[in-house]
Every structure is written in C-alpha cells, then in structure tokens.
Amino acid sequence: MAFSGLESSCMAHEIRLRSQRTRGATIIELIVAVIILGVGLLPLVLALNKIYTNTYSLGTRGEAQLLAAEKIDELKSLGYLKIATDSLAGSDSVVYQDDAVVMKPFSRSTEISYIKYNGGTSFVDADSADVPTDYIQLKTEVRWATDTAVYSRNLTALLTKEGALELE
C-alpha cells in the first residue's frame, strides 16, 4: 500500500503534533502537582514543629528541676544546725527569693520551715518509731513563663539532726 504525498505529509504532521504534546506538562498540571505536594507535606511540617516545641519544653523543665535540686543540695550541705540557727534564726518559716538566676528567665524561691512531726507521713527506709520528732522542711520552687503560660517545678526535702530524709 503506497501513500500519496499528501497522506504522508499529514501523517508526519500528526506525529510531530503528538510528540510536541507529550514533551512537557502544562501550567495547570504543575499547579495541581504543587497543591498536592503542599497538602501532603503540611502535616509533616506541623509534626516537626510540635516535636521541636516539646523537645524545648522538656529541656526547660529539666533545667528548672536541676536548679531546684541545686538549691536543695546547697542547703542540705549546710546541715540542720546551721540552717536552724542562721536561716531560721528562731522563726518557724522563712522564704528566700532568688530571682538572679543566670540561666533563662527562671525565678527560684526557697521556703525553709521548722515542722514538728505529728505522724501520717511515710518515709523511705524508716520505721515510724525511728522518725525524729522535729525536722526542717526545705521546699524550692522554680518558675518560668512562656508566651502562653507560667510553669513551675517544686522539690521538697526534709532535714533532721541526723541527716536528710526522703519522702515516699
């Protein structure tokens, strides 16, 4: 079957048109692809933001806990008698504000209280007959604020003439 010149010219033109149509994407196809990609990546970006926020928050809470523990350890190292004579100086309770904490926007307050034991509290590794009748309670609170809320971490320790007690 032989093609005439006109028919072969039409076929060549049709082949050229098909090859031109399949060369690239139209602007509409590109816009649709970008929208689909954006909708697909949005949850991933939101999840990464939440992970970052939670990680930062955990780090800040950990720093606050360390600041509280640091103050409790500092007071425990002074001992019962030094705290009773110097810090309490005859009063039942005293509160110290420690706003000059160098790290981040933390403020730390420490309450030192003389407490008579009246039962009802459980101690680690202590029989109720072995619990002293009076002790000093060391309570430290570290506070910090974010754009959305104010947070705090508390740490409490009991100090006796014999040493520190741990609450259960």
Side-chain angles (χ1 to χ4, degrees), residues 1-42:
M1 168 183 223
F3 292 108
S4 69
L6 182 59
E7 286 178 357
S8 65
S9 156
C10 283
M11 286 175 68
H13 181 66
E14 188 176 323
I15 290 172
R16 250 191 324 245
L17 283 176
R18 274 193 212 146
S19 67
Q20 284 177 351
R21 274 191 243 142
T22 58
R23 264 191 221 165
T26 65
I27 191 76
I28 305 262
E29 290 170 331
L30 287 175
I31 290 172
V32 169
V34 167
I35 289 172
I36 290 171
L37 219 103
V39 169
L41 290 178
L42 183 64

Short mmCIF file of all heavy atoms in Angstrom, two decimals, residues 1-42:
data_model
loop_
_atom_site.label_atom_id
_atom_site.label_comp_id
_atom_site.label_asym_id
_atom_site.label_seq_id
_atom_site.Cartn_x
_atom_site.Cartn_y
_atom_site.Cartn_z
N MET A 1 0.83 -1.16 0.00
CA MET A 1 0.00 0.00 0.00
C MET A 1 0.88 1.23 0.00
O MET A 1 1.68 1.42 0.90
CB MET A 1 -0.90 -0.11 1.21
CG MET A 1 -1.62 1.11 1.52
SD MET A 1 -2.50 0.77 2.96
CE MET A 1 -3.84 1.16 3.19
N ALA A 2 0.75 1.99 -0.97
CA ALA A 2 1.57 3.17 -1.14
C ALA A 2 0.78 4.40 -0.74
O ALA A 2 -0.40 4.51 -1.01
CB ALA A 2 2.00 3.29 -2.59
N PHE A 3 1.48 5.27 -0.02
CA PHE A 3 0.82 6.50 0.41
C PHE A 3 1.15 7.60 -0.58
O PHE A 3 2.24 7.70 -1.10
CB PHE A 3 1.34 6.92 1.79
CG PHE A 3 0.92 5.99 2.89
CD1 PHE A 3 1.84 5.16 3.49
CD2 PHE A 3 -0.40 5.96 3.32
CE1 PHE A 3 1.48 4.33 4.50
CE2 PHE A 3 -0.76 5.12 4.33
CZ PHE A 3 0.16 4.30 4.94
N SER A 4 0.17 8.43 -0.78
CA SER A 4 0.39 9.56 -1.67
C SER A 4 1.15 10.63 -0.89
O SER A 4 1.28 10.58 0.33
CB SER A 4 -0.95 10.11 -2.16
OG SER A 4 -1.63 10.73 -1.09
N GLY A 5 1.65 11.56 -1.51
CA GLY A 5 2.45 12.62 -0.89
C GLY A 5 1.66 13.40 0.14
O GLY A 5 2.17 13.78 1.19
N LEU A 6 0.37 13.61 -0.13
CA LEU A 6 -0.46 14.38 0.80
C LEU A 6 -0.71 13.58 2.07
O LEU A 6 -0.62 14.11 3.17
CB LEU A 6 -1.79 14.74 0.12
CG LEU A 6 -2.74 15.57 0.96
CD1 LEU A 6 -2.11 16.89 1.36
CD2 LEU A 6 -4.02 15.81 0.20
N GLU A 7 -0.97 12.30 1.91
CA GLU A 7 -1.23 11.46 3.08
C GLU A 7 0.02 11.33 3.94
O GLU A 7 -0.04 11.39 5.17
CB GLU A 7 -1.70 10.08 2.65
CG GLU A 7 -3.12 10.08 2.15
CD GLU A 7 -3.56 8.70 1.68
OE1 GLU A 7 -2.75 7.76 1.70
OE2 GLU A 7 -4.71 8.58 1.31
N SER A 8 1.16 11.14 3.35
CA SER A 8 2.39 11.01 4.14
C SER A 8 2.73 12.33 4.81
O SER A 8 3.24 12.36 5.93
CB SER A 8 3.53 10.52 3.28
OG SER A 8 3.86 11.47 2.31
N SER A 9 2.43 13.43 4.20
CA SER A 9 2.67 14.74 4.80
C SER A 9 1.75 14.95 6.00
O SER A 9 2.18 15.47 7.04
CB SER A 9 2.45 15.81 3.74
OG SER A 9 2.13 17.02 4.30
N CYS A 10 0.48 14.51 5.91
CA CYS A 10 -0.47 14.63 7.03
C CYS A 10 -0.03 13.74 8.19
O CYS A 10 -0.12 14.12 9.36
CB CYS A 10 -1.87 14.24 6.58
SG CYS A 10 -2.68 15.52 5.63
N MET A 11 0.42 12.54 7.90
CA MET A 11 0.86 11.62 8.95
C MET A 11 2.10 12.18 9.66
O MET A 11 2.22 12.10 10.89
CB MET A 11 1.16 10.25 8.36
CG MET A 11 -0.12 9.49 8.01
SD MET A 11 0.20 7.95 7.20
CE MET A 11 0.93 7.02 8.48
N ALA A 12 3.02 12.74 8.92
CA ALA A 12 4.22 13.31 9.52
C ALA A 12 3.84 14.49 10.41
O ALA A 12 4.39 14.66 11.52
CB ALA A 12 5.18 13.76 8.43
N HIS A 13 2.87 15.30 9.99
CA HIS A 13 2.42 16.44 10.78
C HIS A 13 1.74 15.97 12.07
O HIS A 13 1.96 16.52 13.15
CB HIS A 13 1.46 17.30 9.93
CG HIS A 13 0.97 18.52 10.66
ND1 HIS A 13 1.82 19.54 11.02
CD2 HIS A 13 -0.26 18.85 11.11
CE1 HIS A 13 1.12 20.46 11.65
NE2 HIS A 13 -0.16 20.06 11.71
N GLU A 14 0.94 14.90 11.98
CA GLU A 14 0.25 14.35 13.16
C GLU A 14 1.27 13.78 14.15
O GLU A 14 1.15 13.96 15.37
CB GLU A 14 -0.72 13.26 12.72
CG GLU A 14 -1.60 12.78 13.85
CD GLU A 14 -2.63 11.78 13.38
OE1 GLU A 14 -3.15 11.92 12.27
OE2 GLU A 14 -2.89 10.84 14.16
N ILE A 15 2.30 13.11 13.68
CA ILE A 15 3.34 12.55 14.55
C ILE A 15 4.08 13.69 15.25
O ILE A 15 4.37 13.61 16.45
CB ILE A 15 4.29 11.65 13.74
CG1 ILE A 15 3.56 10.39 13.31
CG2 ILE A 15 5.54 11.32 14.54
CD1 ILE A 15 4.34 9.54 12.34
N ARG A 16 4.35 14.76 14.51
CA ARG A 16 5.02 15.92 15.11
C ARG A 16 4.16 16.56 16.20
O ARG A 16 4.63 16.92 17.26
CB ARG A 16 5.33 16.96 14.02
CG ARG A 16 6.79 17.09 13.73
CD ARG A 16 7.05 18.30 12.86
NE ARG A 16 5.98 18.50 11.90
CZ ARG A 16 6.09 18.42 10.57
NH1 ARG A 16 7.24 18.17 10.03
NH2 ARG A 16 5.07 18.60 9.78
N LEU A 17 2.87 16.68 15.98
CA LEU A 17 1.96 17.26 16.98
C LEU A 17 1.90 16.40 18.23
O LEU A 17 1.89 16.91 19.35
CB LEU A 17 0.54 17.42 16.39
CG LEU A 17 0.34 18.60 15.45
CD1 LEU A 17 -1.07 18.58 14.88
CD2 LEU A 17 0.60 19.90 16.14
N ARG A 18 1.83 15.08 18.05
CA ARG A 18 1.81 14.19 19.21
C ARG A 18 3.10 14.32 20.02
O ARG A 18 3.07 14.36 21.25
CB ARG A 18 1.66 12.74 18.76
CG ARG A 18 0.25 12.34 18.57
CD ARG A 18 0.16 10.84 18.44
NE ARG A 18 -0.94 10.54 17.55
CZ ARG A 18 -1.00 9.55 16.70
NH1 ARG A 18 0.01 8.72 16.60
NH2 ARG A 18 -2.04 9.37 15.94
N SER A 19 4.22 14.40 19.35
CA SER A 19 5.48 14.50 20.08
C SER A 19 5.60 15.85 20.78
O SER A 19 6.17 15.94 21.86
CB SER A 19 6.66 14.25 19.15
OG SER A 19 6.77 15.29 18.22
N GLN A 20 5.04 16.90 20.22
CA GLN A 20 5.07 18.21 20.88
C GLN A 20 4.15 18.21 22.11
O GLN A 20 4.45 18.83 23.11
CB GLN A 20 4.63 19.30 19.90
CG GLN A 20 5.70 19.65 18.89
CD GLN A 20 5.22 20.69 17.89
OE1 GLN A 20 4.04 21.04 17.86
NE2 GLN A 20 6.14 21.16 17.07
N ARG A 21 3.02 17.52 22.06
CA ARG A 21 2.09 17.48 23.18
C ARG A 21 2.66 16.68 24.35
O ARG A 21 2.36 16.97 25.48
CB ARG A 21 0.77 16.83 22.74
CG ARG A 21 -0.16 17.84 22.13
CD ARG A 21 -1.51 17.22 21.95
NE ARG A 21 -1.78 17.21 20.52
CZ ARG A 21 -2.38 16.27 19.85
NH1 ARG A 21 -2.79 15.20 20.46
NH2 ARG A 21 -2.57 16.38 18.58
N THR A 22 3.47 15.71 24.11
CA THR A 22 3.97 14.87 25.19
C THR A 22 5.33 15.32 25.71
O THR A 22 5.91 14.66 26.54
CB THR A 22 4.06 13.40 24.71
OG1 THR A 22 4.92 13.35 23.57
CG2 THR A 22 2.70 12.85 24.41
N ARG A 23 5.83 16.42 25.27
CA ARG A 23 7.13 16.89 25.70
C ARG A 23 7.13 17.41 27.14
O ARG A 23 8.07 17.20 27.87
CB ARG A 23 7.60 18.03 24.81
CG ARG A 23 8.50 17.56 23.74
CD ARG A 23 9.15 18.70 23.07
NE ARG A 23 9.15 18.37 21.65
CZ ARG A 23 9.37 19.21 20.70
NH1 ARG A 23 9.59 20.47 20.97
NH2 ARG A 23 9.38 18.83 19.46
N GLY A 24 6.14 18.09 27.63
CA GLY A 24 6.16 18.70 28.95
C GLY A 24 4.78 18.81 29.55
O GLY A 24 3.78 18.43 28.93
N ALA A 25 4.75 19.34 30.78
CA ALA A 25 3.48 19.49 31.48
C ALA A 25 2.96 20.90 31.26
O ALA A 25 3.73 21.85 31.10
CB ALA A 25 3.69 19.24 32.96
N THR A 26 1.68 21.01 31.31
CA THR A 26 1.08 22.34 31.18
C THR A 26 1.13 23.03 32.54
O THR A 26 1.40 22.43 33.57
CB THR A 26 -0.39 22.22 30.73
OG1 THR A 26 -1.13 21.57 31.76
CG2 THR A 26 -0.52 21.46 29.44
N ILE A 27 0.84 24.31 32.55
CA ILE A 27 0.87 25.09 33.78
C ILE A 27 -0.19 24.58 34.77
O ILE A 27 0.04 24.56 35.97
CB ILE A 27 0.70 26.60 33.48
CG1 ILE A 27 1.00 27.45 34.74
CG2 ILE A 27 -0.68 26.91 33.01
CD1 ILE A 27 2.43 27.57 35.02
N ILE A 28 -1.31 24.14 34.26
CA ILE A 28 -2.38 23.61 35.13
C ILE A 28 -1.89 22.34 35.83
O ILE A 28 -2.11 22.16 37.03
CB ILE A 28 -3.65 23.29 34.30
CG1 ILE A 28 -4.09 24.52 33.54
CG2 ILE A 28 -4.71 22.66 35.16
CD1 ILE A 28 -5.17 25.33 34.12
N GLU A 29 -1.22 21.48 35.08
CA GLU A 29 -0.70 20.24 35.69
C GLU A 29 0.34 20.56 36.77
O GLU A 29 0.37 19.93 37.82
CB GLU A 29 -0.08 19.35 34.61
CG GLU A 29 -1.10 18.75 33.67
CD GLU A 29 -0.46 18.08 32.46
OE1 GLU A 29 0.63 18.50 32.04
OE2 GLU A 29 -1.07 17.12 31.96
N LEU A 30 1.17 21.56 36.53
CA LEU A 30 2.16 21.96 37.52
C LEU A 30 1.50 22.53 38.78
O LEU A 30 1.91 22.21 39.90
CB LEU A 30 3.12 22.99 36.92
CG LEU A 30 4.12 22.46 35.92
CD1 LEU A 30 4.92 23.60 35.31
CD2 LEU A 30 5.05 21.47 36.59
N ILE A 31 0.47 23.34 38.63
CA ILE A 31 -0.23 23.91 39.78
C ILE A 31 -0.89 22.81 40.60
O ILE A 31 -0.79 22.80 41.83
CB ILE A 31 -1.26 24.97 39.31
CG1 ILE A 31 -0.53 26.20 38.78
CG2 ILE A 31 -2.21 25.34 40.44
CD1 ILE A 31 -1.43 27.23 38.13
N VAL A 32 -1.52 21.87 39.94
CA VAL A 32 -2.16 20.75 40.65
C VAL A 32 -1.10 19.93 41.40
O VAL A 32 -1.31 19.54 42.56
CB VAL A 32 -2.97 19.88 39.66
CG1 VAL A 32 -3.40 18.58 40.31
CG2 VAL A 32 -4.17 20.64 39.14
N ALA A 33 0.03 19.69 40.79
CA ALA A 33 1.09 18.92 41.44
C ALA A 33 1.62 19.64 42.67
O ALA A 33 1.86 19.03 43.72
CB ALA A 33 2.23 18.66 40.45
N VAL A 34 1.80 20.96 42.58
CA VAL A 34 2.28 21.74 43.72
C VAL A 34 1.26 21.72 44.85
O VAL A 34 1.62 21.59 46.03
CB VAL A 34 2.62 23.18 43.28
CG1 VAL A 34 2.81 24.09 44.48
CG2 VAL A 34 3.85 23.19 42.40
N ILE A 35 -0.01 21.83 44.53
CA ILE A 35 -1.06 21.79 45.56
C ILE A 35 -1.07 20.43 46.25
O ILE A 35 -1.14 20.35 47.48
CB ILE A 35 -2.44 22.13 44.95
CG1 ILE A 35 -2.48 23.62 44.58
CG2 ILE A 35 -3.57 21.78 45.90
CD1 ILE A 35 -3.72 24.03 43.80
N ILE A 36 -1.00 19.36 45.48
CA ILE A 36 -0.99 18.02 46.07
C ILE A 36 0.23 17.84 46.97
O ILE A 36 0.14 17.30 48.07
CB ILE A 36 -1.05 16.94 44.97
CG1 ILE A 36 -2.44 16.96 44.31
CG2 ILE A 36 -0.73 15.56 45.51
CD1 ILE A 36 -2.55 16.10 43.07
N LEU A 37 1.38 18.30 46.50
CA LEU A 37 2.60 18.20 47.31
C LEU A 37 2.48 19.02 48.59
O LEU A 37 2.88 18.56 49.67
CB LEU A 37 3.79 18.70 46.49
CG LEU A 37 5.04 17.88 46.70
CD1 LEU A 37 5.21 16.98 45.50
CD2 LEU A 37 6.20 18.78 46.88
N GLY A 38 1.92 20.23 48.49
CA GLY A 38 1.75 21.09 49.66
C GLY A 38 0.82 20.47 50.69
O GLY A 38 1.11 20.46 51.89
N VAL A 39 -0.29 19.92 50.23
CA VAL A 39 -1.24 19.28 51.14
C VAL A 39 -0.60 18.05 51.78
O VAL A 39 -0.83 17.76 52.95
CB VAL A 39 -2.55 18.93 50.39
CG1 VAL A 39 -3.43 18.03 51.21
CG2 VAL A 39 -3.29 20.20 50.01
N GLY A 40 0.21 17.34 51.06
CA GLY A 40 0.87 16.15 51.60
C GLY A 40 1.98 16.48 52.59
O GLY A 40 2.19 15.76 53.56
N LEU A 41 2.70 17.58 52.38
CA LEU A 41 3.81 17.94 53.25
C LEU A 41 3.39 18.76 54.47
O LEU A 41 4.13 18.83 55.46
CB LEU A 41 4.87 18.72 52.47
CG LEU A 41 5.67 17.91 51.46
CD1 LEU A 41 6.64 18.81 50.71
CD2 LEU A 41 6.41 16.78 52.12
N LEU A 42 2.23 19.37 54.46
CA LEU A 42 1.78 20.20 55.56
C LEU A 42 1.73 19.43 56.89
O LEU A 42 2.25 19.92 57.90
CB LEU A 42 0.42 20.83 55.24
CG LEU A 42 -0.12 21.77 56.30
CD1 LEU A 42 0.78 22.98 56.45
CD2 LEU A 42 -1.53 22.21 55.94
#
